[in-house]
Amino acid sequence: MLQTLTRFGVVFLLGLGITFAGSHTGASWLGWPVFALCAGLAFALQWLAFVPAWRLQTETFYDLTGALTYLSVIWLAVALTPGQSASSLLLAACISLWALRLGSFLFLRIRADGKDSRFDQIKPYASRFLFTWTLQGLWVVITAGCALAAITSGRMAELGLPGMLGLTLWVLGFAIEVVADSQKRRFRRTHGAERFIDSGLWARSRHPNYFGEIVLWLGIALMALPALQGWQWATLISPVFVFVLLTRVSGIPLLERKAERRWGQDPQWQAYRARTPALLPRLRA
């Protein structure tokens, strides 16, 4: 019980910290910082979605809820902040396109698979299941934090050099993620889930979709950069958070352990693992 309370406490402290930083010098609505309203909405949506998910013991709409939360908080920020520029709308559009694409992809995948095995040992316990939804709220707030801070600052003007570089990185990362997911989906349709994919982008990186994810959020941070000042600079933790989450916590480590359990004794898997980087794609095929 104490461990669970500690985990919730850490999440709330991190959420409050990034909310304080992102709200600094930003727009307000009825006396409330718009950034704070967006952060509150992010957590509220998770807790509302948890109720039917717990009653039905399902994780089917977990990822879809995450995507809809991104859309909700980003466009709430746009709606409540006066004088939005074209750069702000472009930033909001980039995140929205990413959320729509990834959210629909993950929802269709779990509908086809029937479940997400990561939740098997979590769903039966209310506190642990609630924590995963709360953690998703924090994920949204931190990951989108620099974009929310920029949009609610009201200071976004021309993209400039950092913005153009950021947009280029976002397009590159988004394209890599889309192509990698598409290649893996086609491979699974042909070969099933019992074989590992080692073709296309997956011949250059064992997790090219995660590489694309990290690159596109770095692009978002660069696009937001010119509008930030003061404590808002702390929201630039966004791409670092994505990198750490995917490479040290819930992304690559979980998938690598799962792959080792399934194919660890397979010489073809061992050869593939030896020649293919985990994340950064090798240039030569």
Side-chain angles (χ1 to χ4, degrees):
M1 182 65 177
L2 180 60
Q3 186 179 30
T4 300
L5 290 175
T6 301
R7 288 178 177 177
F8 275 102
V10 170
V11 168
F12 285 131
L13 286 175
L14 288 173
L16 286 173
I18 203 72
T19 299
F20 170 81
S23 299
H24 184 235
T25 73
S28 297
W29 185 76
L30 297 180
W32 290 87
V34 175
F35 190 106
L37 293 174
C38 293
L41 177 63
F43 283 102
L45 290 175
Q46 308 314 306
W47 297 330
L48 286 173
F50 161 77
V51 175
W54 163 250
R55 290 178 62 87
L56 298 173
Q57 283 293 284
T58 181
E59 68 277 15
T60 302
F61 48 90
Y62 180 80
D63 292 311
L64 183 61
T65 301
L68 293 175
T69 303
Y70 275 101
L71 293 171
S72 300
V73 300
I74 286 296
W75 289 104
L76 178 64
V78 170
L80 297 184
T81 305
Q84 289 296 333
S85 66
S87 298
S88 294
L89 296 177
L90 177 61
L91 190 56
C94 286
I95 293 179
S96 298
L97 181 58
W98 166 83
L100 286 169
R101 203 290 307 182
L102 185 61
S104 60
F105 171 79
L106 294 176
F107 178 67
L108 291 174
R109 186 179 69 179
I110 198 171
R111 285 289 299 273
D113 294 344
K115 69 171 187 173
D116 185 336
S117 60
R118 296 175 301 172
F119 288 85
D120 288 348
Q121 302 302 315
I122 296 175
K123 286 184 298 184
Y125 306 97
S127 60
R128 293 177 64 183
F129 198 28
L130 176 60
F131 181 74
T132 63
W133 290 89
T134 305
L135 196 60
Q136 181 162 251
L138 181 67
W139 171 58
V140 172
V141 172
I142 294 182
T143 307
C146 58
L148 288 171
I151 292 170
T152 59
S153 74
R155 290 185 295 270
M156 290 200 71
E158 298 293 332
L159 277 180
L161 183 59
M164 291 302 297
L165 176 59
L167 180 59
T168 301
L169 287 176
W170 182 87
V171 171
L172 176 63
F174 184 76
I176 290 173
E177 186 174 70
V178 170
V179 171
D181 284 341
S182 178
Q183 288 176 342
K184 190 171 186 177
R185 183 171 59 247
R186 290 198 301 269
F187 183 88
R188 287 282 179 86
R189 287 174 179 170
T190 303
H191 301 284
E194 297 307 313
R195 286 188 57 187
F196 61 88
I197 179 172
D198 59 354
S199 57
L201 292 178
W202 302 82
R204 300 175 182 272
S205 167
R206 299 202 300 275
H207 304 280
N209 53 336
Y210 289 162
F211 175 73
E213 181 84 352
I214 292 167
V215 169
L216 73 84
W217 282 109
L218 177 59
I220 290 293
L222 286 175
M223 291 173 68
L225 180 63
L228 305 181
Q229 66 178 29
W231 282 103
Q232 290 177 331
W233 286 84
T235 62
L236 290 175
I237 195 177
S238 166
V240 178
F241 175 76
V242 173
F243 175 80
V244 172
L245 186 68
L246 293 181
T247 62
R248 297 290 185 268
V249 184
S250 65
I252 291 176
L254 289 179
L255 292 179
E256 289 287 298
R257 287 196 294 269
K258 184 177 180 180
E260 282 298 314
R261 288 196 299 269
R262 180 175 292 181
W263 302 300
Q265 304 304 313
D266 186 341
Q268 291 184 332
W269 164 255
Q270 294 174 4
Y272 170 69
R273 194 176 189 278
R275 69 175 182 268
T276 310
L279 184 67
L280 187 65
R282 57 192 174 95
L283 298 179
R284 293 185 179 181

